[in-house]
Amino acid sequence: MSNRLGATSSPYLQQHARNPVDWQPWDDAALAQAKRENKPILLSVGYSACHWCHVMEHESFEDDEVARAMNADFVNIKVDREERPDIDQVYQRAHSLLTRQNGGWPLTMFLTPDGTPFFGGTYFPKQSAYGRPGFLELLPKVAQAYREQGETIAAQNARLREWMAKLEPEASDAVLPADSLARAWHKLAGSFDPLQGGFGTAPKFPHAPELELVLHRMTHGGDAEARNVLDVTLSRMADGGIHDQLGGGFCRYSVDAEWTIPHFEKMLYDNAMLLGLYADYGRHARDPAALAVAGDIVGWMLREMRAPDGAFYSSLDADSEGEEGRFYVWLVDEVRATLDADEWAVAAPRWGLDGRPNFEQHAWNLRVSSPLIDIAAHLGLEPQVAASRVASARDKLFAVRTRRVRPALDDKILTAWNALAIGGLARAARVTGGNAQWQRLAFDALDTLRATAWRDGRLRATRQRGDATLNAYLDDYALLLAALIECLQLDFRAPDLEWAVELAEALLAHFEDRTLGGFWFVSHDHESLILRHKPGQDGATPSGNGVAALALARLAVIAGDPRYADAARRTVVVFTPMLNGTPESCPTLLLAHDALARPPALVLLDGDAAMTRDWRDAALRDAPDALVIDVAGRTDVPAVLVKGAREMHGAVAFVCRDFTCLPRIDSLAELATALARGAEV
């Protein structure tokens, strides 16, 4: 057997195609070989932008001695966690049960030929180091254990499968408390870092789903503490080194509590979610700095991540020229040589270049270290002059950086992550008054997905240059449905509503657990793994069940179909024990629960499009949860959205709740009154 990764489409698998390891993709041939030869499987899961994945490759997978040991005793399978999140989720859970430790990437699991893991870890150095066993020493011990401890491993495997199954939601008569959102908020507030923002200690992740829950609390009653959590967190993140001070965009996480030094990979999904969050917070808080951060994220997406057909690529690597962060960090002499004296005088204190190095004792990862107004006062400058000099310094340094060797681009087009990008762009455009460029980017990507990822009523999960492949997962359907609902509120197009309904029907037909409720991560006709997972907890991205429930609750209001709300309600009910126990881990499900308990108003606008624009702004201000659909000037409005005689002049509104509408509203004052009293019908 030889290395078979050269024929795969994944950029991550292609990175390993020249390893001396006899790597195989996860497919029937590899699994059949393990059974035929009675060899354990060495499963390695990672992704192309992962720094420690590169480290393990250079130390072990490129090493002939390690490769010989792997090839002699194991069937070696490489998996791209972004293409196969189903496999990654199952074995991350198994890892946590076997090791009682958090998982991560690279994930290294040893499986029996039937796919059940009996030993594992994450990164292993070639030789013992960092308190971790050496991979070269570990391999023969694992192979020997497999040969000699078959009965013990079989008994452990049976227990592991039982443990994994018990973690799946079961039928329950538990009741979700009315104050569940408040309970989740208080748990989050208890872990809030009041100095640096974020939750918990290092390493720190953006936690976008949790921050969405905080934003919900802030916008529903004006909670001052929630606003402070967002203000501190979003401003500290924006000032930190996790945020690219020159090119925009956020890295995946910070290794320290101050957001200074990230692992430098940049993921589309993080930035897509943060875009909508910064824009929405900036609008509510009237914070121009937050809106500027949203603009920087879009600039990065447009410049670095947009494919020629309008879709978005997956990620940028942490490493370049074999070193993590090399593309982004600076030597102080480089900066001095690039800037003139006036620019240096402002830029040095602004980015901490006049202090000690913050990256590996010799270099600087740029972060905001001093407020610009303080620097201006110290130098005797007008604030706008200081700002102009920082902007000039930023442009010059960015121009120099473009000449460096760039981090590798993972150019896969992932349906779920593109859906997040579309939803983030559409939401940001909507809440900031209809930014034309952001709207165009959202709809271009949406139309590209429709043309490339939608086939015969089913979605495909990934595309890399050629045709889209792999059956789509729950996240693909749910996130795309949520994105379509954002787009419908930004600029109504009848085919988008039709597609949203088709996606909802596909969710119910191919993913719903018709016995207990909720949605499986994989479809009913998907490949069988050792566990069929039904995820409810949010992670770096919101859970598919949370997004599906929230999107279906909203679609029920727009499409006038209570079946979707019923499916959303069944989803929340099946996760009630989890929501009672750790509500802070499931913020998206909690938002879905709230949308079911207090269904949003549907505000339908019609008439003169120039006039309804002001009505949309008023509805957004007075009823942030309302679903505002503006069909003014449209000739292809479906019957479900026609609530009375259509008006071509002036502006009219219909406010509906619980599938019943108020009488026609003919003035902006009437609309404000209807929204202020909760649109009681």
Side-chain angles (χ1 to χ4, degrees):
M1 183 63 67
S2 59
N3 190 316
R4 293 201 291 125
L5 300 187
T8 62
S9 61
S10 161
Y12 174 63
L13 300 189
Q14 287 290 333
Q15 289 173 0
H16 293 266
R18 293 182 177 82
N19 294 166
V21 177
D22 289 340
W23 288 120
Q24 303 191 56
W26 181 283
D27 62 10
D28 290 341
L31 300 176
Q33 181 192 351
K35 292 178 180 178
R36 184 175 63 252
E37 299 179 4
N38 191 25
K39 279 186 174 182
I41 294 168
L42 196 167
L43 174 66
S44 178
V45 183
Y47 60 101
S48 70
C50 168
H51 170 68
W52 286 103
C53 300
H54 300 328
V55 172
M56 193 165 179
E57 178 187 16
H58 298 326
E59 290 179 347
S60 294
F61 304 148
E62 293 178 346
D63 183 89
D64 290 333
E65 185 180 13
V66 175
R68 281 194 296 271
M70 294 172 65
N71 296 339
D73 292 321
F74 302 93
V75 173
N76 305 295
I77 297 181
K78 257 290 173 196
V79 166
D80 182 340
R81 66 108 172 177
E82 297 167 359
E83 282 195 343
R84 294 300 304 264
D86 55 334
I87 294 173
D88 182 56
Q89 287 185 12
V90 167
Y91 290 105
Q92 292 286 355
R93 171 175 285 190
H95 170 272
S96 69
L97 289 171
L98 285 171
T99 68
R100 298 294 190 266
Q101 296 177 351
N102 292 329
W105 301 279
L107 179 68
T108 308
M109 299 297 288
F110 296 90
L111 323 178
T112 54
D114 69 352
T116 308
F118 62 93
F119 184 78
T122 52
Y123 159 74
F124 290 103
K126 178 183 175 183
Q127 306 292 347
S128 297
Y130 323 116
R132 297 171 182 262
F135 199 53
L136 192 56
E137 305 159 37
L138 188 65
L139 291 169
K141 293 179 181 178
V142 173
Q144 182 180 9
Y146 176 76
R147 290 192 299 268
E148 298 177 0
Q149 300 177 34
E151 290 185 5
T152 301
I153 289 173
Q156 175 186 280
N157 285 358
R159 291 195 301 272
L160 178 66
R161 284 177 177 258
E162 182 180 348
W163 294 338
M164 293 176 72
K166 284 183 176 179
L167 292 175
E168 291 300 303
E170 299 176 344
S172 171
D173 56 2
V175 177
L176 194 60
D179 66 345
S180 54
L181 272 168
R183 292 173 58 237
W185 152 248
H186 288 303
K187 288 201 173 187
L188 287 174
S191 65
F192 171 61
D193 179 345
L195 294 178
Q196 301 298 334
F199 304 107
T201 58
K204 275 189 178 171
F205 292 78
H207 287 290
E210 288 92 331
L211 293 173
E212 290 288 355
L213 187 75
V214 180
L215 180 65
H216 181 274
R217 185 173 180 88
M218 171 188 146
T219 58
H220 292 71
D223 187 290
E225 188 179 356
R227 175 166 177 163
N228 180 64
V229 168
L230 286 169
D231 178 52
V232 174
T233 299
L234 296 182
S235 62
R236 296 291 191 276
M237 282 174 51
D239 286 348
I242 192 175
H243 179 214
D244 183 350
Q245 299 297 320
L246 301 183
F250 285 82
C251 300
R252 192 165 73 91
Y253 69 96
S254 171
V255 302
D256 58 89
E258 294 77 33
W259 308 104
T260 298
I261 304 299
H263 272 312
F264 286 87
E265 64 262 38
K266 286 183 180 179
M267 317 301 292
L268 177 63
Y269 64 81
D270 284 318
N271 287 281
M273 292 185 294
L274 290 172
L275 166 59
L277 187 67
Y278 270 96
D280 215 342
Y281 172 76
R283 191 258 308 183
H284 276 290
R286 298 181 181 178
D287 183 346
L291 296 174
V293 173
D296 283 348
I297 293 173
V298 177
W300 171 76
M301 291 171 63
L302 178 59
R303 185 182 65 251
E304 306 276 354
M305 305 303 290
R306 192 169 187 252
D309 64 8
F312 292 96
Y313 300 130
S314 296
S315 64
L316 289 177
D317 208 318
D319 297 10
S320 57
E321 300 182 81
E323 296 181 21
E324 185 183 15
R326 184 179 178 89
F327 180 76
Y328 298 99
V329 302
W330 293 85
L331 299 177
V332 73
D333 289 344
E334 291 179 290
V335 181
R336 278 187 177 276
T338 303
L339 308 182
D340 64 32
D342 288 340
E343 292 163 341
W344 169 260
V346 178
R350 177 64 170 169
W351 291 321
L353 296 165
D354 54 353
R356 299 180 63 180
N358 61 24
F359 186 77
E360 297 185 352
Q361 299 168 344
H362 72 284
W364 282 258
N365 181 45
L366 301 185
R367 62 152 300 139
V368 173
S369 295
S370 297
L372 199 55
I373 192 167
D374 292 350
I375 298 170
H378 178 72
L379 296 175
L381 299 173
E382 291 295 324
Q384 61 267 30
V385 174
S388 176
R389 290 180 183 178
V390 166
S392 176
R394 178 182 177 180
D395 291 344
K396 286 183 178 181
L397 293 176
F398 181 78
V400 169
R401 200 177 76 176
T402 59
R403 298 194 287 271
R404 295 177 176 176
V405 176
R406 302 182 59 77
L409 170 71
D410 186 326
D411 61 356
K412 290 194 309 294
I413 307 296
L414 293 170
T415 298
W417 295 7
N418 269 261
L420 281 169
I422 293 163
L425 285 162
R427 175 184 174 189
R430 176 172 59 87
V431 302
T432 57
N435 183 297
Q437 183 194 46
W438 300 1
Q439 177 172 321
R440 177 179 58 81
L441 291 173
F443 281 104
D444 283 353
L446 180 65
D447 292 341
T448 295
L449 280 193
R450 194 193 320 255
T452 59
W454 184 242
R455 291 283 186 276
D456 301 321
R458 301 289 291 271
L459 278 175
R460 301 295 182 266
T462 182
R463 174 169 59 93
Q464 208 268 334
R465 299 190 185 92
D467 290 337
T469 60
L470 298 179
N471 290 334
Y473 309 100
L474 170 61
D475 289 4
D476 298 297
Y477 284 87
L479 290 168
L480 185 53
L481 176 57
L484 278 163
I485 291 171
E486 289 292 346
C487 289
L488 287 168
Q489 297 176 83
L490 175 62
D491 186 20
F492 177 80
R493 304 188 308 180
D496 292 341
L497 179 56
E498 294 169 9
W499 196 17
V501 169
E502 289 180 287
L503 286 171
E505 295 298 331
L507 265 175
L508 298 180
H510 303 302
F511 290 87
E512 188 181 21
D513 181 342
R514 296 157 192 163
T515 303
L516 298 182
F519 297 91
W520 303 107
F521 186 72
V522 296
S523 60
H524 300 320
D525 55 356
H526 193 80
E527 170 192 0
S528 294
L529 301 174
I530 63 168
L531 176 73
R532 194 175 185 198
H533 186 34
K534 192 188 292 182
Q537 291 183 321
D538 291 333
T541 57
S543 76
N545 271 283
V547 176
L550 183 56
L552 287 168
R554 290 171 170 168
L555 182 63
V557 173
I558 297 172
D561 192 335
R563 290 184 305 121
Y564 302 142
D566 291 342
R569 193 169 292 107
R570 290 192 296 271
T571 302
V572 172
V573 167
V574 80
F575 287 103
T576 294
M578 182 186 294
L579 292 168
N580 281 332
T582 56
E584 73 281 4
S585 71
C586 314
T588 310
L589 275 168
L590 287 174
L591 293 176
H593 167 63
D594 188 62
L596 291 164
R598 299 184 303 115
L602 174 64
V603 180
L604 286 168
L605 303 177
D606 203 352
D608 185 335
M611 293 187 66
T612 56
R613 188 175 298 112
D614 290 338
W615 290 44
R616 276 197 292 175
D617 293 343
L620 185 64
R621 180 188 65 245
D622 297 335
D625 273 353
L627 297 163
V628 183
I629 306 294
D630 186 351
V631 298
R634 301 292 183 179
T635 59
D636 56 349
V637 181
V640 70
L641 295 181
V642 178
K643 304 300 181 181
R646 298 197 63 198
E647 178 64 62
M648 294 297 105
H649 305 287
V652 297
F654 293 90
V655 177
C656 312
R657 199 185 287 274
D658 293 331
F659 310 109
T660 308
C661 300
L662 287 170
R664 165 178 162 147
I665 294 171
D666 291 293
S667 74
L668 192 52
E670 283 184 80
L671 176 60
T673 300
L675 294 174
R677 68 170 186 256
E680 296 173 1
V681 295

